[in-house]
Amino acid sequence: MSRFFYSIGKTAYSKPWIFIASWLLILGVIITAIVTNGVNTSSETRIDGTAAQDVLDELAEEYPAASGGQGSYLFEVPEGEAIDDPANAQTLAMAANEIYGLDHVVNPMDMLQDEEAMAQMQGLQGMVSQLPASEVNHRPFIVQEMPVPGIQISEDGTVALFQFQLTKTAEDLSEAEREELADAANIAQENSSITVIPTGALQGVDIPIGGTHEIIGLAIAAVILVVTLGSLIAAGLPLVVALIGVGVGVGGTFALSSMFEINSLTPVLALMIGLAVGIDYALFIVNRQRKLISEQQLTAKEAAARAVGTAGSAVFFAGLTVIIALSGLLVIGISFLSSMAIVAALTVLIDVLVALTLLPALLGLIGERIVSAKTRNKAQTHNSSKQSFAQGWITGLLKMKWVAVILVIIVLGTLAVPVAQVNLGMPSGESANQDTAVRQSYDVISDSFGEGFNGPLLVVAKDQDAAAVNPQEYFQLLSNISQLDGVAEVSPGGFNEDGTIAIISIIPENGPTDEATKQLVESLRTDAAATENTNAEIGVTGLTAVNIDISEKLAEVFPIYIAIIVVLSLLILLVVFRSILIPIKATVGFLLSIMATFGATTAVFQWGWLGSLFGIDTGGPLLSFIPIMVTGILYGLAMDYQVFLVSSMREAYIHGEKGNGAIVSGYKTASKVVVAAALIMVSVFSGFIFTDDIMIKQIGFALAFGILVDAFLIRMIFVPAVMSMFGDKIWWLPKWLDKILPDLDIEGEKLLHELNEKDKDKAIRTNTGENSI
């Protein structure tokens, strides 16, 4: 493998423009596709096979008008006025009628095409008014002695809530459709003192790709590169390589978005990972080339080829671990996670290919200037007897290895404590910052109408014999449901054309992420009291129920994914390092770091600890897919550092150094670049913590904190300390297993032996020629 990469590096260095032009051509085609086809992403999160999603899919087929999402607007008047004063009421009614006239909004009057249907619905509404229900603090909105459907007024008369049914999910509304809704709603405030506030998904989902905070993260990464490599030219190469890699990876995602539905989080995740690993992989290769030039006095060309052959092999297998970890998400069978994993994995693959082909081509353009004459001279005159910081640190660490291991376990164990109280869910207005429109509208609804109005549920009823739903049984359902614990009120939602599907709207007493709301959903699905004295069967859906099901499904499959990761970790590291104990040690270290990461993320985002430092002022549930997604990503990245650090130690061991000597030698060689790479990753991921979207904040924090913990506590302290405890036994592998495992030679030992033999032959031939003269 290392010989193959050596030849690639040498060819790319010698013929740089072929490789550079190829990548620029690919990037150009992608940009052209984006300009031609545009970008199409969706914020919809669905998991096939969940109860709520099955009901939605059935509605889409049997009752399309009711299968979309729900939109709502708040209309508020200043203190001292009433929303139903004649002038305000007239403008509000005009706005409601304008909204009902839009193509993507369901007009409830359209369901009542004849007098019989009208009378039936009015009769049901009259029955509903007699139902026992929890205390409510609102009243209907009446204009000219007629209630306007969908509008309710707060008890103090200052706020009106207008809820309406959409023909599609709110997340899938186009920008033009959102503008039409906004223009229609704003009619209410054009000639009055009414303030219009969109709520929930109608405010749009703005997930930025590349902003000020990310640029700051890149700037910090650039500084770290300059300090590590000591050269502006060398420091610029990893940045260029990473930007080309994410340009192709993320750009390719956008280019394909017109053909495949892509979740809006997908390109952000690919950008995060692509930038981080792209910079790191290029750094490892450039750093190795510069060392070979400075320390072995090789030409830039030969050093570049050897760097790609050795460090490039490590890059390849490090990237492979990230790709395998991400691909493991496909086993879970959750569509939106699968698309995220595929795009992120492909971006990492592109980063690896760019590092192995474009980087040596760029090095070919720079030539010998990659290392200045001053640096070469300094390396030649350097006093090797002088102890470096890394050598002093590792020597002291190995003397106190038992203390170090115990302290790491205590620290990480303490950080992991909050995991016991983690609450997984999907973000809502409740968890948004107090200065955001989402949170402000959530609070107004809660204060004026009750928290349950922020997360209504939709019940779909059918006759068990596939007959039309009996109106009397429909009323019985309304009555039964209204008496369940946690129900604030119920209202009829109508029937489909043949009467076989009926819907009921439920307002819970509690908010969408409250445990009591989850229990209500469970009761509706399992409690026979809901369908008592009827022949109906019911299903529960709506955004709140969908989010509850997503969280439960992800929590259910998380242990399965952890098991997959552990098995993968053991197998990959067994093949790479040809050792039984190293994979076990690496996996235990990873489990310690991942639990500490989830603990810290829970403390910050759920409990609110140090929230002001990270730009949050309200605690809330952790994003339900964070455990699975972050575990996969961090596993891959943690194994990156495991490969680069331990492969250096193994290289020293193969060359004859034993025990602590091999550990110290490998640590001296790899620690500086691993620390720099970790700091770069932390800088890049931290840039995403300070975006406005709470989902991106949580993912950015978990990845940044996870890398910080794993690189500095696990790889820099725990790993060498545990290896020292076992001595040379750490490299033990049964002979029978040694024979059947493939020899990957990621250290490039065979390549270097072959090159050294060629150098010797060349020297002999040269000397023989000189002597014959």
Side-chain angles (χ1 to χ4, degrees):
M1 186 67 76
S2 56
R3 296 172 189 167
F4 174 68
F5 290 138
Y6 173 83
S7 64
I8 289 178
K10 203 162 194 174
T11 303
Y13 190 98
S14 303
K15 301 175 181 179
W17 285 112
I18 295 177
F19 292 84
I20 294 171
S22 298
W23 282 108
L24 291 179
L25 178 62
I26 294 171
L27 191 59
V29 170
I30 288 171
I31 293 172
T32 302
I34 293 174
V35 172
T36 303
N37 300 321
V39 174
N40 181 33
T41 61
S42 170
S43 58
E44 181 184 11
T45 303
R46 63 175 285 152
I47 297 185
D48 294 326
T50 58
Q53 190 62 55
D54 289 345
V55 173
L56 277 180
D57 292 341
E58 183 179 22
L59 276 178
E61 183 177 345
E62 303 289 340
Y63 195 179
S67 65
Q70 191 173 60
S72 59
Y73 278 97
L74 282 170
F75 299 88
E76 193 173 16
V77 293
E79 189 175 349
E81 292 189 34
I83 196 75
D84 53 356
D85 285 345
N88 289 334
Q90 189 63 34
T91 57
L92 179 52
M94 288 173 58
N97 288 331
E98 191 73 18
I99 289 174
Y100 277 140
L102 297 175
D103 291 339
H104 49 283
V105 177
V106 177
N107 188 337
M109 303 310 293
D110 292 341
M111 301 180 189
L112 310 173
Q113 297 292 334
D114 52 57
E115 292 183 4
E116 182 181 350
M118 175 76 80
Q120 186 182 74
M121 182 58 71
Q122 287 176 340
L124 285 171
Q125 288 175 332
M127 295 182 201
V128 169
S129 66
Q130 304 169 25
L131 295 175
S134 302
E135 183 179 348
V136 295
N137 54 354
H138 59 87
R139 49 193 171 86
F141 177 67
I142 300 175
V143 177
Q144 298 178 350
E145 300 183 358
M146 288 290 292
V148 178
I151 300 183
Q152 298 169 92
I153 302 177
S154 62
E155 198 62 41
D156 62 6
T158 62
V159 179
L161 175 63
F162 178 29
Q163 295 179 311
F164 47 89
Q165 187 72 23
L166 298 164
T167 60
K168 60 180 73 175
T169 63
E171 293 83 2
D172 283 341
L173 290 175
S174 67
E175 193 59 38
E177 289 170 333
R178 291 182 189 277
E179 289 178 4
E180 287 179 349
L181 278 169
D183 291 342
N186 287 335
I187 290 174
Q189 68 181 15
E190 288 177 354
N191 299 305
S192 69
S193 57
I194 295 175
T195 300
V196 179
I197 307 172
T199 67
L202 288 185
Q203 295 177 357
V205 179
D206 182 21
I207 299 181
I209 300 291
T212 305
H213 302 302
E214 293 90 327
I215 292 172
I216 292 173
L218 281 177
I220 296 172
V223 172
I224 296 170
L225 286 169
V226 172
V227 172
T228 303
L229 298 174
S231 164
L232 287 174
I233 295 176
L237 289 175
L239 292 175
V240 171
V241 167
L243 290 173
I244 294 292
V246 297
V248 173
V250 178
T253 302
F254 284 139
L256 295 173
S257 64
S258 60
M259 294 183 286
F260 306 97
E261 184 174 288
I262 294 173
N263 188 281
S264 51
L265 272 175
T266 298
V268 179
L269 188 67
L271 178 65
M272 278 188 192
I273 300 172
L275 280 176
V277 302
I279 293 173
D280 280 4
Y281 292 168
L283 168 62
F284 291 130
I285 294 174
V286 172
N287 183 69
R288 178 63 65 90
Q289 185 215 21
R290 285 168 54 82
K291 276 184 171 294
L292 290 171
I293 293 172
S294 300
E295 296 177 2
Q296 298 186 24
Q297 298 301 299
L298 297 176
T299 64
K301 179 179 180 179
E302 181 62 22
R306 292 193 183 194
V308 174
T310 54
S313 295
V315 163
F316 176 80
F317 287 106
L320 187 62
T321 60
V322 180
I323 292 169
I324 290 175
L326 288 169
S327 300
L329 291 169
L330 302 179
V331 178
I332 304 302
I334 298 174
S335 56
F336 80 94
L337 277 181
S338 296
S339 65
M340 286 184 187
I342 290 171
V343 171
L346 287 175
T347 302
V348 172
L349 176 61
I350 290 167
D351 277 334
V352 171
L353 295 177
V354 170
L356 296 176
T357 57
L358 179 62
L359 178 57
L362 294 174
L363 290 171
L365 290 184
I366 295 171
E368 299 295 339
R369 290 174 295 164
I370 192 67
V371 177
S372 66
K374 180 180 179 181
T375 303
R376 293 172 194 255
N377 294 332
K378 183 178 179 181
Q380 286 180 323
T381 58
H382 180 68
N383 183 7
S384 60
S385 63
K386 185 179 179 180
Q387 188 181 66
S388 64
F389 174 81
Q391 184 175 357
W393 170 265
I394 188 63
T395 302
L397 173 67
L398 297 184
K399 290 179 180 178
M400 303 181 65
K401 50 182 173 283
W402 287 98
V403 175
V405 169
I406 292 171
L407 285 177
V408 167
I409 292 173
I410 290 173
V411 170
L412 297 184
T414 303
L415 287 171
V417 168
V419 170
Q421 298 181 33
V422 66
N423 177 28
L424 298 176
M426 298 299 286
S428 68
E430 183 184 15
S431 57
N433 280 354
Q434 294 177 2
D435 60 351
T436 61
V438 174
R439 173 59 183 275
Q440 290 166 1
S441 64
Y442 184 97
D443 288 342
V444 170
I445 291 174
S446 298
D447 295 341
S448 301
F449 301 95
E451 273 199 281
F453 277 85
N454 287 294
L457 300 171
L458 188 68
V459 168
V460 177
K462 298 189 302 181
D463 188 273
Q464 292 186 25
D465 299 325
V469 178
N470 184 298
Q472 291 300 322
E473 290 193 358
Y474 183 59
F475 171 72
Q476 184 65 53
L477 279 175
L478 291 166
S479 178
N480 292 344
I481 292 171
S482 70
Q483 298 179 66
L484 294 177
D485 291 339
V487 175
E489 61 180 84
V490 297
S491 58
F495 300 79
N496 64 347
E497 286 187 9
D498 59 10
T500 56
I501 298 285
I503 59 175
I504 300 170
S505 178
I506 300 176
I507 303 298
E509 291 181 347
N510 301 283
T513 62
D514 196 282
E515 184 62 33
T517 302
K518 296 179 185 178
Q519 292 173 1
L520 172 59
V521 171
E522 185 66 22
S523 295
L524 286 166
R525 289 171 173 167
T526 60
D527 192 344
T531 56
E532 189 176 4
N533 298 321
T534 74
N535 193 42
E537 58 182 31
I538 62 175
V540 186
T541 189
L543 182 60
T544 298
V546 168
N547 288 343
I548 289 172
D549 286 355
I550 287 174
S551 299
E552 290 181 351
K553 175 68 174 178
L554 290 169
E556 177 186 322
V557 299
F558 180 60
I560 300 173
Y561 185 63
I562 283 289
I564 293 172
I565 285 294
V566 169
V567 172
L568 280 175
S569 174
L570 293 173
L571 291 177
I572 294 172
L573 295 180
L574 174 65
V575 174
V576 170
F577 293 113
R578 310 183 73 78
S579 163
I580 294 292
L581 295 177
I582 285 180
I584 296 173
K585 173 261 308 174
T587 303
V588 170
F590 171 72
L591 291 175
L592 284 172
S593 65
I594 199 68
M595 294 305 294
T597 297
F598 293 148
T601 307
T602 301
V604 171
F605 289 94
Q606 184 176 313
W607 295 355
W609 290 8
L610 302 176
S612 59
L613 186 63
F614 301 105
I616 59 171
D617 54 26
T618 305
L622 257 62
L623 195 59
S624 53
F625 58 81
I626 269 190
I628 284 181
M629 181 60 72
V630 169
T631 297
I633 296 170
L634 284 182
Y635 162 74
L637 299 180
M639 293 308 106
D640 278 3
Y641 300 134
Q642 176 76 12
V643 169
F644 289 115
L645 182 65
V646 180
S647 63
S648 293
M649 297 176 182
R650 178 172 171 78
E651 186 176 352
Y653 175 77
I654 290 173
H655 283 104
E657 296 190 61
K658 302 299 180 184
N660 285 353
I663 297 173
V664 171
S665 181
Y667 195 94
K668 284 167 53 183
T669 301
S671 60
K672 181 181 177 181
V673 71
V674 168
V675 166
L679 290 175
I680 288 169
M681 277 201 180
V682 171
S683 300
V684 172
F685 291 144
S686 295
F688 291 86
I689 298 174
F690 302 98
T691 57
D692 294 329
D693 187 88
I694 188 65
M695 294 187 289
I696 303 300
K697 277 179 174 289
Q698 290 188 9
I699 294 172
F701 175 86
L703 291 177
F705 189 87
I707 291 296
L708 196 66
V709 166
D710 195 89
F712 291 95
L713 293 183
I714 297 299
R715 309 304 151 190
M716 292 288 101
I717 297 177
F718 183 83
V719 164
V722 171
M723 290 178 70
S724 178
M725 291 177 181
F726 287 94
D728 286 343
K729 292 179 182 178
I730 198 72
W731 307 108
W732 175 76
L733 183 70
K735 291 183 179 180
W736 64 267
L737 188 56
D738 185 50
K739 292 178 180 179
I740 63 175
L741 288 179
D743 188 358
L744 301 179
D745 188 32
I746 66 170
E747 300 86 8
E749 174 65 19
K750 292 180 180 178
L751 169 66
L752 295 177
H753 178 73
E754 182 179 311
L755 292 174
N756 289 335
E757 289 300 318
K758 286 182 179 179
D759 290 341
K760 289 178 182 179
D761 291 342
K762 184 178 179 181
I764 291 172
R765 287 196 301 269
T766 301
N767 291 333
T768 303
E770 290 175 354
N771 293 334
S772 63
I773 296 172

